[in-house]
């Protein structure tokens, strides 16, 4: 059976979702959730939320989907213990090391892999199942064809987003907010740099690309109401609505419309009133709608260049303004009512005047006047940004005492003269306080007895009587029947909310590291975007004393460079793509299989599914775990060493030197090397959206673009910061930070706190610059020579993210 999963940022939102047809609710507490700006629930509210939901047969999933710092693990376990005990059905996680702990600690609670974990292929999902997840929330970039392939080949629950805001970057792969400040999306505090304005510039020509809009990274909102049958036919378990920061009436409207569409499909295999349903969804909130990556849309179909917030629904355009009477004349193309909000300066509509008469609403095709104090030019479009009637009806749907769907409970009643009356509710028995007396001259009326017992108003229950036995001469006061009903409901609810029997916490024993020996892989390593960046190093082989491994993203001429560096005692190691989708694995295999397989004895990876791919196809024995797994704590270090044959692990760029020391002190027995990036233009975003191709020529990514490859493109923000754009072999775009991280003058301190190896990341530096920056580090370590940093930017080495 399909599950409709609705968001809740408050108790009212939770009630709105449940009363409008949600099968499950996801919400966050005051800690460890990826929407720190939402109202969220304190512990008392969480108890109330679980009680309200469970008594209505609705599941509660709690988000614990932020990256966890070492010092927070004990607090997190205390919090998740609480969630387990109060009956939460599942925890949504993005830290797979913590998930390993919780899987053993809570045997009777599901663990869901958050979209922050960035699962974008069948291989990813298979790996996440293997390590213990019961459900995977897929990346929002996947098409229904890819989702169906995953569902057809996996036996755990799959969840996909069907409505709401879209991140322009792969979730869990965005550092832009933290690189521009101290607010990290991985910690639930994204500052939404994607909603800011940018210019696209071709640096090769110096030309600013005119794209008829400024919001080059701001996606439209996803809306799937028109494609609900296709989505359901993929075999997914859960359809997820985004919106934990939205108001309760938004949750009510969106949930109810998708509930209707899903039920129509289940009952009739078709949804007939999609147009009306979509109009309501537009009216409650939209940034323009897109069917998104689900329907293989791309580029201009995804981004709203005009506006980063609510667009509203067009209801007409201005005809004229009368300054003497302060009246704005409008030709309506849609309904406009008293109390609605419009886009012209805020506020709500007061009077609606037609032919001098005052009305509560105007309809499409009519000419109306409204009171207005500002001159608006003719032909200016009018958008309705809030619909009073829609909002009012939504709020009525979950007000106190409303129960839109009753739950059938089986009942039995036994009333015998001289015995206490017995009432059975779903196998729970209650008895009257006194024995039933014999009536003097009146026969018991069974229909009235059932009617009195069935008065369940104010509760979510409807009594269905399976067995009725009443002595004809029994006298039953109404107070006895009311008391039986009250006691039965109280005991039933106590039973439903008692989780003590199957919520026993299993203490987690922190297992020791596997026996092994740490391999020395040099004090410095490099990662390059193009192999040609290594040419000057080949001319100066003295670096091999400090450099034993070099990582490259470039597989062209890989074997040639591998053989040349091998003679110097340096291994060239392939660094796999940051996202590899279902069909892309076979494409990648085709290219890499032409290269000497020895080269792939060790590979650097950034995706969950890459390990088994390289092991099975190329016999890879060891892995370097790249920084994009967001490694914040020692539990993640142990996880990757245990499950991923990790010889080297690159820690997150979002933790400071004290937090790094905490991690390393806790994991002194590890066999893997810990790497740390100390130089480079950080990858701020990884996105399917190609600004270069889409905005220059409406490219739909059906082929690699020669123009994009020939020219250098940047995004420039309002503070004139320039962000370099790259493409991978599948036209996926990397947005690099505007300034290079440079911690080279801290290199000695970094080794002192326990880091095994430092890494220099090179993107568009030429080979001479690559060698010079590397040589500065070598001379610092060898001769204590001072390094003049190119930039003062220290990332989060001093100040970590909040």
């Amino acid at each position: 059976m399909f599950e409709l999963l609705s968001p809740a940022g408050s108790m009212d939102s939770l009630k709105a979702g449940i009363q409008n047809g949600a099968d499950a609710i996801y919400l966050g507490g005051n800690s460890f959730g990826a929407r720190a700006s939402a109202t969220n629930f304190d512990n008392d509210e969480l108890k109330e939320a679980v009680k309200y939901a469970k008594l209505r047969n609705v599941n509660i999933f709690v988000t614990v989907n932020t990256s966890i710092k070492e010092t927070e693990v004990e607090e997190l376990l205390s919090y998740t213990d609480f969630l387990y005990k109060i009956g939460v059905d599942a925890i949504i996680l993005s830290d797979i090391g913590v998930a390993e702990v919780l899987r053993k600690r809570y045997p009777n609670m599901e663990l869901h892999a958050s979209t922050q974990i960035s699962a974008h292929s069948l291989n990813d999902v298979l790996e996440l199942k293997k390590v213990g997840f019961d459900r995977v929330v897929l990346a929002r970039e996947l098409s229904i064809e890819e989702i169906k392939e995953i569902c057809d080949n996996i036996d755990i629950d799959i969840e996909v987003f069907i409505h709401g805001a879209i991140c322009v970057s792969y979730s869990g792969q965005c550092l832009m907010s933290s690189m521009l400040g101290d607010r990290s999306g991985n910690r639930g505090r994204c500052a939404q740099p994607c909603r800011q304005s940018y210019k696209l510039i071709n640096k090769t020509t110096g030309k600013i690309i005119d794209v008829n809009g400024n919001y080059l990274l701001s996606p439209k909102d996803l809306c799937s109401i028109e494609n609900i049958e296709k989505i359901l036919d993929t075999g997914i378990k859960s359809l997820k609505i985004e919106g934990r920061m939205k108001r309760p009436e938004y949750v009510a409207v969106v949930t109810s419309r998708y509930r209707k569409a899903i039920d129509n499909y289940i009952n009739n295999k078709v949804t007939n009133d999609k147009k009306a349903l979509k109009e309501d969804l537009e009216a409650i909130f939209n940034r323009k709608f897109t069917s998104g990556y689900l329907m293989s849309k791309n580029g201009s179909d995804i981004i709203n260049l005009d506006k980063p917030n609510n667009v509203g629904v067009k209801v007409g355009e201005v005809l004229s303004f009368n300054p003497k009477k302060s009246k704005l004349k409008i030709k309506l193309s849609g309904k406009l009512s008293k109390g609605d909000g419009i886009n012209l300066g805020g506020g709500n509509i007061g009077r609606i005047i037609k032919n001098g008469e005052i009305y509560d609403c105007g309809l499409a095709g009519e000419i109306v006047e409204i009171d207005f104090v500002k001159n608006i030019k003719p032909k200016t479009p009018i958008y309705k940004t809030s619909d009073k009637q829609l909002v009012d009806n939504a709020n009525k749907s979950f007000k106190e005492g409303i129960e839109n769907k009753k739950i059938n409970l089986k009942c039995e009643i036994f009333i015998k003269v001289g015995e206490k009356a017995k009432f059975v509710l779903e196998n729970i028995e209650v008895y009257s306080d006194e024995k039933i007396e014999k009536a003097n001259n009146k026969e018991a009326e069974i229909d009235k007895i059932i009617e009195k017992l069935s008065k369940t108003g104010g509760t979510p229950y409807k009594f269905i009587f399976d067995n009725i036995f009443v002595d004809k001469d029994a006298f039953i006061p109404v107070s006895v029947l009311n008391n039986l009903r009250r006691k039965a409901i109280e005991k039933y609810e106590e039973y439903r909310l008692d989780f003590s029997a199957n919520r026993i916490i299993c203490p987690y024993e922190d297992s020791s590291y596997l026996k092994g020996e740490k391999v020395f892989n040099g004090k410095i390593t490099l990662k390059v975007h193009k192999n040609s960046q290594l040419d000057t190093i080949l001319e100066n082989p003295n670096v091999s004393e400090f450099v034993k491994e070099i990582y490259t993203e470039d597989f062209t001429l890989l074997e040639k460079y591998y053989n040349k560096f091998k003679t110097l005692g340096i291994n060239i190691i392939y660094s796999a793509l940051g996202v590899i989708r279902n069909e892309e694995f076979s494409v990648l295999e085709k290219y890499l299989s032409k290269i000497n397989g020895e080269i792939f004895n060790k590979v650097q990876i950034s995706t969950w599914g890459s390990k088994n791919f390289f092991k099975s196809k190329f016999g890879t024995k060891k892995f370097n775990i790249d920084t994009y797994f967001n490694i914040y704590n020692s539990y993640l270090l142990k996880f990757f060493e245990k499950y991923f044959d990790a010889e080297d692990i690159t820690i997150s760029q979002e933790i400071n030197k004290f937090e790094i020391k905490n991690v390393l002190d806790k994991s002194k027995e590890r066999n893997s090397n810990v790497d740390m990036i100390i130089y480079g233009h950080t990858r701020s975003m990884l996105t399917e959206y190609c600004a270069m191709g889409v905005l220059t020529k409406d490219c739909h990514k059906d082929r690699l673009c020669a123009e994009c490859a020939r020219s250098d493109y940047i995004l420039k923000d309002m503070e004139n910061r320039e962000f370099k754009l790259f493409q991978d072999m599948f036209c996926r775009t990397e947005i690099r930070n505007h300034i290079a991280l440079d911690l080279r003058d801290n290199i000695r301190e970094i080794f002192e706190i326990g880091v095994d190896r430092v890494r220099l990341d090179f993107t568009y530096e030429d080979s001479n610059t690559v060698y010079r920056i590397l040589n500065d580090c070598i001379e610092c370590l060898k001769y204590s020579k001072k390094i003049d940093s190119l930039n003062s930017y220290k990332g989060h080495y001093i100040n970590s993210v909040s």
Side-chain angles (χ1 to χ4, degrees):
M1 184 59 70
F2 303 113
E3 171 191 275
L4 180 58
L5 177 58
S6 294
S10 68
M11 196 63 196
D12 278 346
S13 293
L14 175 133
K15 291 178 179 179
I18 291 174
Q19 292 302 335
N20 283 280
D23 300 300
I25 298 288
Y26 70 102
L27 51 83
N30 286 336
S31 304
F32 307 113
R35 285 292 181 271
S37 300
T39 307
N40 291 321
F41 292 72
D42 63 27
N43 284 3
D44 287 339
E45 289 169 330
L46 281 169
K47 288 180 183 178
E48 183 185 354
V50 171
K51 178 180 178 181
Y52 187 90
K54 298 300 280 186
L55 295 178
R56 291 159 179 82
N57 293 339
V58 172
N59 289 331
I60 291 289
F61 309 148
V62 176
T63 57
V64 187
N65 56 341
T66 60
S67 295
I68 309 299
K69 296 181 181 181
E70 189 70 38
T71 54
E72 296 172 332
V73 173
E74 290 304 316
E75 179 190 350
L76 178 135
L77 291 177
S78 175
Y79 175 58
T80 53
D81 283 354
F82 164 76
L83 297 177
Y84 187 58
K85 290 175 182 176
I86 68 171
V88 165
D89 296 282
I91 293 177
I92 306 169
L93 294 156
S94 62
D95 188 311
I96 202 164
V98 169
E100 167 79 357
V101 177
L102 302 192
R103 181 169 60 86
K104 296 177 179 178
R105 192 175 181 89
Y106 312 132
N108 295 310
M109 181 165 61
E110 289 190 0
L111 299 182
H112 296 179
S114 168
T115 190
Q116 287 288 116
I117 226 161
S118 201
H120 40 258
S121 71
L122 175 60
N123 284 342
D124 289 343
V125 176
L126 288 168
E127 190 64 42
L128 293 169
K129 176 183 183 287
K130 189 185 299 182
V131 299
F133 282 104
D134 302 284
R135 175 181 294 193
V136 176
V137 187
L138 295 181
R140 279 173 261 216
E141 287 77 4
L142 300 195
S143 69
I144 57 169
E145 291 80 13
E146 291 171 301
I147 294 167
K148 180 166 174 49
E149 182 179 353
I150 290 170
C151 291
D152 286 347
N153 292 280
I154 198 76
D155 59 354
I156 62 172
D157 290 351
I158 297 298
E159 178 178 305
V160 299
F161 282 92
I162 59 166
H163 192 90
I166 305 173
C167 292
V168 71
S169 174
Y170 276 88
S171 294
Q173 300 294 310
C174 181
L175 297 177
M176 197 161 188
S177 179
S178 76
M179 290 297 119
L180 298 180
D182 294 330
R183 295 175 57 182
S184 168
N186 296 319
R187 298 275 293 170
R189 300 183 183 278
C190 180
Q192 294 196 303
C194 54
R195 302 296 183 191
Q196 306 304 311
S197 62
Y198 296 89
K199 293 177 182 176
L200 179 66
I201 300 173
N202 185 330
K203 287 291 280 186
T204 305
T205 64
K207 179 184 176 183
I208 297 175
I209 311 298
D210 183 11
V211 295
N212 298 317
N214 297 318
Y215 298 97
L216 276 55
L217 297 179
S218 182
K220 300 174 184 175
D221 283 352
L222 176 64
C223 179
S224 302
I225 203 80
E226 295 174 306
N227 299 293
I228 201 71
E229 299 96 341
K230 295 176 182 177
I231 295 168
L232 294 171
D233 284 342
T234 63
I236 61 166
K237 164 70 174 180
S238 183
L239 297 92
K240 187 172 194 173
I241 297 166
E242 183 276 336
R244 282 203 290 128
M245 296 178 68
K246 296 290 200 306
R247 294 176 60 82
E249 57 267 25
Y250 173 89
V251 177
V253 170
V254 178
T255 302
S256 65
R257 275 45 174 189
Y258 277 99
R259 177 79 274 158
K260 186 171 184 180
I262 293 167
D263 289 347
N264 281 347
Y265 172 81
I266 292 170
N267 297 326
N268 309 313
K269 294 298 180 185
V270 69
T271 300
N272 295 318
D273 49 358
K274 293 176 183 176
K275 185 175 184 293
L277 296 176
K278 185 177 181 182
E279 286 173 356
D280 287 346
L281 294 173
E282 286 177 324
I284 200 66
F285 188 93
N286 78 90
R287 294 183 179 92
K288 294 186 178 178
F289 279 152
T290 176
S291 57
Y293 296 109
L294 281 169
M295 295 298 120
S296 301
K297 297 294 184 182
N298 231 312
S300 57
D301 297 307
I302 298 292
I303 300 296
N304 178 5
L305 297 170
D306 303 323
K307 191 177 181 182
N309 44 28
N310 186 23
V311 172
V313 179
K314 188 176 180 181
V315 290
E317 66 177 34
V318 174
L319 293 177
S320 63
F321 176 69
N322 187 329
K324 291 183 179 180
K325 295 184 178 181
S326 297
K327 295 282 190 300
L328 194 66
K329 186 177 286 187
I330 302 169
K331 174 69 179 290
L332 292 177
S333 57
K335 184 179 179 182
L336 186 66
S337 302
K338 181 180 179 180
D340 290 350
I342 58 173
N343 63 318
L344 303 179
N348 298 95
I349 298 294
R351 304 183 300 171
I352 292 179
I353 304 166
K354 291 186 277 188
N355 300 319
E357 299 289 330
I358 297 173
Y359 291 84
D360 287 336
C361 73
L363 303 176
E366 295 180 339
I367 295 175
V368 302
E369 289 183 311
I370 61 172
D371 297 311
F372 213 76
V373 296
K374 184 180 177 183
N375 185 15
I376 305 294
K377 294 179 180 178
K379 295 189 178 182
T380 299
I382 306 289
Y383 287 88
K384 179 167 59 177
T385 54
S386 67
D387 186 311
K388 185 177 186 301
Q389 184 178 357
L390 186 67
V391 170
D392 286 349
N393 288 339
N395 285 323
K396 288 176 187 176
S397 71
F398 61 91
K399 72 179 183 180
E400 196 66 35
I402 290 289
E403 294 292 345
N404 292 322
K405 183 180 178 182
K406 292 281 189 175
I407 298 165
N408 292 336
L409 298 182
K410 293 180 181 179
C411 305
E412 297 177 285
I413 183 69
F414 300 91
I415 299 174
K416 295 182 180 181
V417 174
E419 298 181 12
K420 291 184 176 182
K422 181 171 76 169
F423 184 41
V424 183
L425 181 64
E426 293 284 328
N427 298 320
I428 293 171
E429 297 181 0
V430 295
Y431 294 85
S432 61
D433 295 332
E434 57 280 309
K435 293 180 180 179
I436 299 300
E437 296 180 358
K438 188 175 181 179
N440 291 329
N441 53 13
K442 190 176 181 181
E443 189 173 301
E445 298 181 66
I446 294 177
D447 288 347
K448 287 191 175 181
I449 291 170
I450 301 305
E451 179 187 345
K452 297 294 183 186
L453 282 172
S454 299
K455 288 189 174 181
T456 58
T459 75
Y461 313 122
K462 180 181 179 181
F463 290 171
I464 305 296
F465 284 86
D466 279 356
N467 198 1
I468 302 167
F469 181 87
V470 181
D471 278 346
K472 289 182 180 181
D473 56 350
F475 172 68
I476 313 101
V478 172
S479 61
V480 171
L481 298 175
N482 289 341
N483 197 38
L484 281 171
R485 182 182 63 247
R486 178 186 57 77
K487 287 200 295 186
I489 289 175
E490 284 180 358
K491 288 193 72 173
Y492 170 77
E493 292 188 346
E494 285 175 10
Y495 166 75
R496 286 297 313 275
L497 298 172
D498 181 8
F499 307 104
S500 57
N502 65 350
R503 291 284 169 127
I504 305 300
I505 294 172
C506 302
Y508 172 68
E509 295 182 6
D510 194 2
S511 58
S512 59
Y513 284 90
L514 299 173
K515 289 184 179 180
E517 188 174 336
K518 187 181 291 188
V519 178
F520 176 69
N521 286 323
K523 282 289 187 182
I524 304 171
T525 189
L526 295 73
K527 183 175 180 179
V528 295
H529 185 61
K530 292 289 184 184
N531 289 328
S532 57
Q533 293 173 287
L534 300 172
D535 288 345
T536 305
I537 293 176
L538 283 171
E539 297 168 8
N540 296 272
N542 57 319
V543 302
S544 61
E545 180 183 351
F546 287 87
V547 179
K548 301 298 180 187
E549 293 182 337
I550 294 174
Y551 295 88
T552 177
E553 299 172 335
D554 184 5
F555 59 74
T556 60
L557 302 178
L558 180 57
E559 194 166 343
K560 172 186 173 184
Y561 278 87
Y562 176 85
N563 291 331
K564 285 185 175 181
F565 274 96
K566 189 176 180 181
T567 62
L568 305 179
I570 298 173
N571 281 328
I572 293 288
I573 295 168
Y574 176 62
S575 179
L577 299 168
V579 166
I580 311 173
R581 304 268 282 270
N582 287 354
E583 73 283 357
E584 294 170 358
F585 279 102
S586 58
V587 176
L588 193 61
E589 182 184 0
K590 176 184 173 183
Y591 283 104
L592 298 184
S593 61
K594 299 174 183 177
I595 301 169
N596 181 356
E598 175 192 329
I599 294 172
F600 302 111
N601 282 338
K602 184 176 180 181
V603 175
Q604 183 179 65
I605 58 173
S606 300
T607 71
W608 304 103
S610 292
K611 180 194 78 171
N612 281 337
F613 170 73
F614 281 100
K615 269 194 164 187
S616 62
K617 301 298 182 182
F618 298 95
T620 303
K621 297 177 177 64
K622 289 294 178 182
F623 293 93
N624 173 281
I625 305 303
D626 209 349
T627 186
Y628 305 113
F629 284 106
N630 298 322
I631 294 160
Y632 265 66
N633 56 59
S634 62
Y635 296 87
L636 275 164
L637 290 180
K638 184 172 288 187
F639 171 84
F640 280 110
E641 188 171 307
K642 180 179 178 181
Y643 289 103
F644 272 63
D645 302 312
E647 192 169 83
D648 306 272
I649 301 173
T650 313
I651 55 174
S652 168
Q653 297 182 72
E654 292 189 326
I655 52 178
N656 67 27
K657 60 182 179 181
F658 304 108
E659 292 162 344
I660 294 168
K661 190 174 189 307
N662 284 336
V663 174
L664 300 181
D665 286 349
K666 184 74 183 293
S667 56
K668 286 184 176 177
E669 296 179 6
R670 69 186 183 275
N671 302 309
S672 54
N673 296 296
V674 169
D675 294 1
M676 176 178 169
I677 297 171
I678 64 166
Y679 174 84
H681 288 83
T682 301
R683 191 183 81 191
S684 297
M685 283 189 186
L686 180 61
T687 173
E688 284 293 323
Y689 166 62
C690 173
M692 301 93 83
V694 169
L695 299 177
T696 56
K697 60 182 183 58
D698 195 27
C699 171
H700 283 260
K701 290 181 67 173
D702 52 352
R703 62 187 180 279
L704 286 169
C705 175
E707 175 62 26
C708 291
R710 257 195 317 270
S711 300
D712 288 332
Y713 286 91
I714 61 162
L715 293 174
K716 180 182 282 191
D717 70 6
M718 296 297 287
E719 297 184 31
N720 290 320
R721 295 177 293 205
E722 297 185 351
F723 302 87
K724 177 84 173 182
L725 304 178
F726 284 110
Q727 285 181 309
D728 71 9
M729 63 182 289
F730 298 109
C731 281
R732 203 163 284 120
T733 302
E734 291 184 8
I735 301 176
R736 291 283 173 168
N737 201 27
H738 66 291
I739 187 171
L741 169 76
D742 197 345
L743 292 169
R744 291 176 302 141
D745 56 355
N746 300 94
I747 192 169
R748 289 179 170 276
E749 180 185 50
I750 289 167
F751 282 122
E752 286 170 5
I753 64 176
V755 171
D756 297 295
R757 186 171 65 170
V758 296
R759 190 171 111 193
L760 309 171
D761 271 13
F762 298 104
T763 45
Y764 41 87
E765 295 87 347
D766 62 28
S767 67
N768 288 330
T769 304
V770 169
Y771 175 74
R772 178 170 52 81
I773 290 173
L774 170 60
N775 194 54
D776 285 347
C777 294
I778 292 173
E779 292 190 345
C780 174
L781 291 175
K782 198 169 184 177
Y783 308 115
S784 299
K785 185 175 179 181
K786 189 177 183 308
I787 295 176
D788 293 324
S789 294
L790 300 177
N791 298 304
S792 60
Y793 178 61
K794 300 294 182 183
H796 296 294
Y797 182 68
I798 307 300
N799 298 313
S800 72
V801 296
S802 57

